[in-house]
Amino acid sequence: DHVQWTEEDKENARQKAEENSCVQIPLKERGKFDTEACQYWDTFYEMHQDKFFKDRRWLFLEFPELLPSGAKSQATNLCLGDQQAAYPLPTGSTTDIETRYQQHNGPTRHHRNTDTSNHQESCQGAALEKNEAAIEATTFPGQLASFRILEVGCGVGNSVFPIINSIKEADAFLYCCDFSPCAIQLVKEHPDYDDSVCHAFVHDICEEVASFPFPPQSLDVILAVFVLSSIHPDRIQGVVNRLSTYLKHGGIFLFRDYGRHDFSQLRFKKGRCLSENFYTRGDGTCVYFFTKG
C-alpha cells in the first residue's frame, strides 16, 4: 500500500499502459459492455456468491466521516484491531488486502455538498427548514433516523455489514443498492442483515429516471467503493451529479477507486482496452482508471 514510485517506475508504468491499450476492442463490439453491464455483474455474483470479496476492515480508518460521531470511536478501534489481526503485512508489501480486482492504493475522494452561491446564503436557513419539514412529512424507510448513509454498488455487502454492525446503537440508517438482483438477494439473506437499520434494494445508478426510496436532500453520506470505475467514463459525471442531489447541504460524497497505472491496469493484455484507460475483463465487467482531479 502507498508505494512510493521513482521516476523510472512511473515511466515504465506509462509505457506498459500505452502498450496494452494500443490494440482496442472494435467499436461495434464495445456497446454491449455498457448496455449489458448488469447481466455481466449478475453472472459474476451468481458464480462467486459472497466468496470473492473480503469485508472492508479499513473502511472507517479511510472514511471517519462515514459514521455519526457517537459510533466513530468504537468503529475505529474495532477496525484497528481487526486489521492488525487479519492483515499483518510486512513493511513495504504491496499485497492487495481488498481483492485481486481491487488495489488498495487507488485514489480516495471526499466531495462535500456546499454548492451555495453568495446571494443564496441569506435564505439558506429557511430553505433547509422547509426541506426538513418536507422530509418529515414523507414516509420512507429510515425517515426517523437523524443520520442517513447510502452505499451505491454495494455488491454482496462487504461495506454494508461493517457499517450495520457499527450503527446499531446510533441514530443512523443505511441504504444500499446494486443493479445486480443476485447481489441484493445475497445481502438480504446474510445473517447480519437488519431491516431496522438497513434497506437494500435493486437500483441502476446509470438510469436517469430511476427513483430512490428516499427524498432529495435527505442523505448525510453517499459511499461508492470501486463502483464509479465500472461505469463508462462518459457517464460518470452525470451519475455523480444525480446522486449528489440526494445529499443534505453539507453532506459528503465518499469514494475510493482505481488510480491510473495501478497494477491492475498494467496487468491487462492487449485487446482488452475499450478506450483510454478503460478496459474490460474476461468476464465482461469493466474498469476505468482515474487520475487526481
Side-chain angles (χ1 to χ4, degrees), residues 61-171:
L61 290 176
E62 192 72 54
F63 299 127
E65 308 92 338
L66 186 57
L67 298 175
S69 56
K72 284 180 182 176
S73 59
Q74 181 180 357
T76 301
N77 291 337
L78 179 63
C79 178
L80 280 169
D82 285 348
Q83 192 173 55
Q84 289 169 356
Y87 303 112
L89 298 181
T91 303
S93 171
T94 58
T95 300
D96 183 356
I97 69 169
E98 178 68 4
T99 69
R100 62 176 175 270
Y101 272 14
Q102 298 175 337
Q103 197 74 12
H104 193 183
N105 61 352
T108 300
R109 294 288 185 273
H110 303 64
H111 174 73
R112 195 171 292 279
N113 185 17
T114 56
D115 185 16
T116 306
S117 58
N118 291 334
H119 75 275
Q120 291 176 316
E121 290 180 0
S122 61
C123 59
Q124 178 183 324
L128 289 174
E129 289 180 6
K130 182 177 180 181
N131 182 64
E132 289 172 1
I135 290 174
E136 289 177 2
T138 305
T139 301
F140 61 96
Q143 70 180 107
L144 299 180
S146 62
F147 192 89
R148 304 185 192 95
I149 308 159
L150 167 67
E151 185 191 10
V152 295
C154 66
V156 295
N158 300 102
S159 296
V160 169
F161 298 111
I163 295 173
I164 285 179
N165 291 328
S166 298
I167 66 172
K168 284 184 176 179
E169 304 302 320
D171 185 19

Side-chain angles (χ1 to χ4, degrees), residues 248-264:
K248 299 175 183 177
H249 181 79
I252 191 167
F253 194 120
L254 304 172
F255 85 91
R256 183 171 193 133
D257 229 311
Y258 297 97
R260 191 70 47 84
H261 299 160
D262 184 286
F263 292 131
S264 299

Side-chain angles (χ1 to χ4, degrees), residues 25 33 40 44 101 268 271-272 279-287:
I25 291 175
F33 297 107
Y40 286 124
F44 173 89
Y101 272 14
F268 274 103
R272 303 309 306 175
Y279 300 77
T280 180
R281 307 180 181 97
D283 60 7
T285 61
C286 296
V287 57

